[in-house]
Amino acid sequence: MAPTLHNRRWYPLIFLTGCTTVVATWLRFAAGHRPELLVSAIGGVAGFTYFLYRQHLDEAKLFKELFADFNARYDALKDDLNTILFGPREGALSAGERARLFGYFNLCAEEYFFYKAGYIDRRVWQSWCRGMEVFFKHPRIQALWEQDRTANSYYGFRPPQ
């Protein structure tokens, strides 16, 4: 499941609902109303809620690390990519241009891999795809992509259309 960073607002509600359910069940069914059972059950609800929230925080941290890494790698490539994009629409690519584009293809494929694995938020992926479209529509970039890709390369990534 992809991390949804705005889900953090649900954890207090989960905790409150769990505690309400425990108290209602304790009042309804507990013979003799032993308070240690109530305290223990509320502790269980708190532990479960903490587990869910901790997992959410870990996923958010991983997402931030991936996001920062991918953006830093893109920033290192973008000037050269823009030079290719605004350069001639026909003709052979230089060895340096090809190397930069292969780096970009790998970056796109890795972003796709982590998106499919559920570590990249759908809205972030869609934003990245809009940026990819610009580059993959360029005839020389598109031609290199078609020449280089195979059915099993780039983790199954296909440029957005």
Side-chain angles (χ1 to χ4, degrees):
M1 183 162 103
T4 307
L5 300 177
H6 64 275
N7 277 354
R8 72 182 182 285
R9 67 177 178 242
W10 291 104
Y11 295 106
L13 182 61
I14 291 170
F15 178 70
L16 186 59
T17 301
C19 288
T20 302
T21 302
V22 164
V23 170
T25 303
W26 181 75
L27 289 173
R28 174 78 170 107
F29 296 109
H33 299 292
R34 295 177 39 205
E36 59 272 7
L37 288 176
L38 178 63
V39 171
S40 178
I42 289 176
V45 169
F48 179 71
T49 305
Y50 174 77
F51 167 77
L52 291 176
Y53 190 62
R54 181 77 242 169
Q55 184 174 348
H56 171 79
L57 290 175
D58 290 343
E59 289 174 353
K61 182 180 177 184
L62 176 60
F63 168 77
K64 180 187 178 283
E65 290 170 3
L66 290 170
F67 187 80
D69 176 63
F70 290 145
N71 281 325
R73 288 172 57 196
Y74 174 75
D75 284 345
L77 292 169
K78 74 178 176 189
D79 289 339
D80 291 335
L81 292 173
N82 283 328
T83 299
I84 297 167
L85 184 66
F86 296 113
R89 297 187 60 79
E90 295 178 3
L93 293 162
S94 71
E97 290 173 328
R98 290 172 58 87
R100 284 296 186 189
L101 288 171
F102 288 141
Y104 182 64
F105 295 165
N106 284 320
L107 174 61
C108 293
E110 289 174 38
E111 291 170 345
Y112 173 76
F113 177 81
F114 281 101
Y115 166 70
K116 291 303 278 186
Y119 294 109
I120 301 295
D121 185 82
R122 178 186 48 82
R123 290 171 296 167
V124 171
W125 173 248
Q126 289 171 342
S127 176
W128 287 346
C129 283
R130 286 189 295 275
M132 289 176 204
E133 274 184 275
V134 172
F135 292 106
F136 281 99
K137 284 183 179 178
H138 190 279
R140 294 191 319 154
I141 296 172
Q142 196 173 55
L144 181 62
W145 170 258
E146 291 300 324
Q147 173 188 344
D148 186 55
R149 78 170 175 91
T150 63
N152 295 325
S153 64
Y154 297 107
Y155 309 112
F157 169 73
R158 294 291 171 261
Q161 302 292 346

